[in-house]
Amino acid sequence: LAHVYPHSKAAYDLSAKIKTAIDSFDSNVVEAWAQLRYIAALEDRKANKVLDYGLYWQLERFQDMLKKDRSKMSVSQQQDFAKDVTKVADKMVIWRNWFKDTVGDIPFHGAALEEVDAAMTDFNNLFDPKAMEKEACEKALEACQKKLDEEIGRGNRRIEDALKEFERFPERAEDGMKKLNAQYAQWQK
């Protein structure tokens, strides 16, 4: 047929080239559009209404919070810190769900989710409620024990001082004993 209709082979070749070009254009546009949607979702500050400055800004600060040394914090400081970190973790969970709903159809969306999941795993390991409760109880017990030891030390010194005074002034012994007994009764309460 090519010899009868020489222009038809050229037309057929041109048509195939055009179809290939259109297919290539479509696939490139679709991929570019997916990448733009992905980047926009990562950096979005308005549509998700959760993260103030985009994912990576928030994720960096969240990970820094998780690395903070809590060993020198008081119990109340640790509780405040735990509340702050938990608020950020809740935001990350909300953002993760929004992101998955928004760009879940994009094959490479999992990369950002892996980073968020890794940070959330660190959070869950660090802020296990039972471990935190145990740690807070241990610190409170330690503080009470220290206070009790100080109080016992003061009481022992006062008893020693009172005994020395009683030896020097036996007439004051009865009044001193009453005061010490009253104080001892208060300690037992």
Side-chain angles (χ1 to χ4, degrees), residues 48-66:
N48 67 40
K49 295 180 181 144
V50 178
L51 304 181
D52 299 329
Y53 300 104
L55 172 67
Y56 290 108
W57 184 90
Q58 189 72 49
L59 191 59
E60 182 180 333
R61 271 122 193 104
F62 182 56
Q63 289 169 334
D64 288 346
M65 288 176 85
L66 294 176

Side-chain angles (χ1 to χ4, degrees), residues 41 47-48 50-51 55 89-105 109 112-113 116-117 120:
N48 67 40
V50 178
L51 304 181
L55 172 67
D90 291 343
K91 285 183 175 184
M92 297 302 281
V93 169
I94 293 168
W95 181 89
R96 185 188 190 288
N97 293 335
W98 171 84
F99 183 75
K100 200 169 181 182
D101 291 343
T102 304
V103 294
D105 59 324
H109 80 282
L113 293 181
V116 172
D117 291 344
M120 292 306 295

Side-chain angles (χ1 to χ4, degrees), residues 155-165:
N156 284 338
R157 284 189 299 279
R158 291 182 74 193
I159 289 172
E160 289 171 4
D161 291 344
L163 288 174
K164 289 176 187 175
E165 186 178 331

Side-chain angles (χ1 to χ4, degrees), residues 66-109:
L66 294 176
K67 292 176 188 172
K68 193 171 187 180
D69 182 22
R70 298 180 301 141
S71 63
K72 295 183 177 141
M73 292 183 186
S74 68
V75 174
S76 63
Q77 288 173 327
Q78 281 195 11
Q79 289 171 346
D80 292 342
F81 176 73
K83 286 178 188 175
D84 293 342
V85 173
T86 302
K87 285 179 187 176
V88 176
D90 291 343
K91 285 183 175 184
M92 297 302 281
V93 169
I94 293 168
W95 181 89
R96 185 188 190 288
N97 293 335
W98 171 84
F99 183 75
K100 200 169 181 182
D101 291 343
T102 304
V103 294
D105 59 324
I106 298 174
F108 48 85
H109 80 282

Side-chain angles (χ1 to χ4, degrees), residues 70-75 78 133-151:
R70 298 180 301 141
S71 63
K72 295 183 177 141
M73 292 183 186
S74 68
V75 174
Q78 281 195 11
E133 186 176 322
K134 181 180 176 185
E135 185 179 341
C137 287
E138 287 172 354
K139 282 196 170 200
L141 179 64
E142 190 177 299
C144 287
Q145 187 68 40
K146 184 178 177 183
K147 188 175 180 182
L148 180 63
D149 289 344
E150 290 171 358
E151 195 68 36

